[in-house]
Amino acid sequence: MIKRVLSEWVLIALLASPLKLPADAPPAQETPPLYSATVQVSVQDTIANTSLDAEETSPNPYFYRIQIAILQSKPILNEVAHRLNLSEKWSMENQELYPALKTGIQIAQIPNTSLFEITVRRPDPNEAAMIANEIAGTYRDACADLLLEKQRRAIDKLHTMLGEQRAKVAAAEERVKQLQEELGISEDGRRTLEGAEANLLQQLETDR
């Protein structure tokens, strides 16, 4: 389950000591202010619950650390750039987008919770909010795709196990037929034995 909550924009204060410039020096360019947009994402390890393997269902002690890496990974951020058309907006080549995006992103887990904070800093507050929301949305979609794939694999494994059990049943029935032939027991005789066995079990239940 993933929940997104858009926070208010926060202006980052840029504090620096004033520099003394020579009288003939050109005026220093002002650094544009940065705005911070933060989205909270709730992450639950639901993937393991769909697995039939004991190794996959056991808790992963590195799960949250892995999610932090995934949230700022190249596949996630490249997809964010594609969805927001940042190549055109920023006038950059595709290979330049990932480092440009990653520089302004910070991922942190809120201690003792399953909540992560995705913080994006950009000169444009609207753009910072869009990127933060899109990272959460892209991560959500990636988790949903992974969960669906895990469920498909679990279903395929169940079908395989069912097929194996049916094969065992068929082999056992074939063995019974062979024993009947070896012992000279006809089909009518087999049914008679089964009926006698059922009557005996019923009688024993009645006498209890």
Side-chain angles (χ1 to χ4, degrees):
M1 175 183 179
I2 296 180
K3 178 176 60 179
R4 296 183 295 168
V5 181
L6 181 61
S7 72
E8 296 180 354
W9 300 320
V10 180
L11 178 63
I12 300 175
L14 301 177
L15 302 178
S17 301
L19 299 177
K20 293 183 179 180
L21 300 176
D24 57 348
Q29 295 183 351
E30 293 184 1
T31 303
L34 296 179
Y35 292 87
S36 172
T38 299
V39 173
Q40 287 188 351
V41 180
S42 177
V43 180
Q44 303 294 332
D45 190 4
T46 57
I47 303 299
N49 296 333
T50 65
S51 176
L52 298 178
D53 296 328
E55 293 183 359
E56 294 187 9
T57 55
S58 58
N60 183 354
Y62 304 106
F63 173 74
Y64 291 124
R65 190 180 302 177
I66 292 172
Q67 303 315 301
I68 291 176
I70 291 175
L71 278 163
Q72 53 191 332
S73 65
K74 185 174 288 187
I76 294 293
L77 295 187
N78 282 346
E79 178 62 20
V80 169
H82 172 71
R83 293 184 179 187
L84 296 179
N85 196 23
L86 295 183
S87 178
E88 181 178 339
K89 291 179 180 177
W90 293 358
S91 300
M92 288 185 177
E93 299 294 331
N94 289 332
Q95 62 269 21
E96 299 175 311
L97 292 173
Y98 172 68
L101 258 178
K102 193 172 187 300
T103 301
I105 294 172
Q106 182 179 0
I107 311 293
Q109 181 184 5
I110 300 177
N112 302 319
T113 72
S114 61
L115 292 175
F116 289 80
E117 287 189 339
I118 304 171
T119 301
V120 178
R121 294 179 174 86
R122 297 293 302 169
D124 182 350
N126 292 318
E127 187 176 69
M130 281 194 306
I131 292 174
N133 274 313
E134 201 59 55
I135 292 174
T138 302
Y139 173 75
R140 174 201 61 204
D141 295 342
C143 288
D145 291 342
L146 181 59
L147 178 59
L148 182 60
E149 179 60 26
K150 286 279 188 178
Q151 290 173 337
R152 288 174 178 170
R153 286 170 52 189
I155 292 173
D156 290 342
K157 188 162 187 177
L158 285 173
H159 283 311
T160 300
M161 293 170 62
L162 180 59
E164 292 173 351
Q165 290 299 319
R166 286 175 175 171
K168 290 179 181 179
V169 170
E173 290 177 346
E174 184 63 26
R175 179 56 180 163
V176 169
K177 290 181 180 179
Q178 291 177 357
L179 290 174
Q180 288 177 356
E181 293 174 358
E182 292 174 2
L183 298 174
I185 301 175
S186 64
E187 185 66 20
D188 292 338
R190 182 183 67 81
R191 292 175 181 173
T192 301
L193 288 175
E194 290 178 352
E197 181 181 2
N199 290 334
L200 178 59
L201 289 174
Q202 184 177 6
Q203 184 62 41
L204 290 174
E205 288 293 332
T206 303
D207 295 342
R208 288 177 61 180

